[in-house]
């Protein structure tokens, strides 16, 4: 049997890694923001959206990515105006 090696971060990578973990941990949205986003589907975003037909992947590719591309940030950050949720 082969031994599984554990992965260790180099010292210079740790601060960036921890910063990214903190960033991702605070990247949530409120129910209000989620419902406001959902209300925009089929009107302002992904105008051809049909809940019975389109999948989560469709919404990501055709609504979320295009909506956040100009700002080059996560849609959650945009929906929450940069506010952390924790």
């Amino acid at each position: 049997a082969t031994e599984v090696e554990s992965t260790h971060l180099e010292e210079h990578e740790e601060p960036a890694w921890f910063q990214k973990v903190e960033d991702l941990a605070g990247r949530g949205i409120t129910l209000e923001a989620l419902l406001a986003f959902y209300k925009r589907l089929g009107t302002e975003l992904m105008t051809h959206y049909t809940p019975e037909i389109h999948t989560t992947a469709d919404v990501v590719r055709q609504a979320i990515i295009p909506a956040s591309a100009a700002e080059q940030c996560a849609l959650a950050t945009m929906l929450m105006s940069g506010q952390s949720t924790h």
Side-chain angles (χ1 to χ4, degrees):
T2 60
E3 248 181 69
V4 177
E5 293 182 29
S6 62
T7 303
H8 296 284
L9 296 174
E10 297 295 325
E11 283 185 32
H12 66 277
E13 292 177 314
E14 288 183 19
W17 185 84
F18 284 113
Q19 178 59 44
K20 181 51 74 175
V21 168
E22 288 293 319
D23 177 47
L24 292 173
R27 197 183 286 178
I29 61 172
T30 61
L31 178 58
E32 180 180 12
L34 177 62
L35 292 173
F37 170 77
Y38 182 75
K39 188 175 179 179
R40 293 173 59 201
L41 285 174
T43 57
E44 298 171 43
L45 300 172
M46 198 175 161
T47 56
H48 59 284
Y49 174 72
T50 305
E52 297 82 17
I53 297 172
H54 293 99
T55 65
T56 300
D58 295 331
V59 173
V60 168
R61 291 186 187 108
Q62 299 173 41
I64 294 174
I65 292 172
S68 60
E71 297 290 325
Q72 295 186 344
C73 68
L75 185 63
T77 303
M78 292 173 56
L79 293 175
M80 295 303 297
S81 302
Q83 296 176 344
S84 177
T85 57
H86 70 283

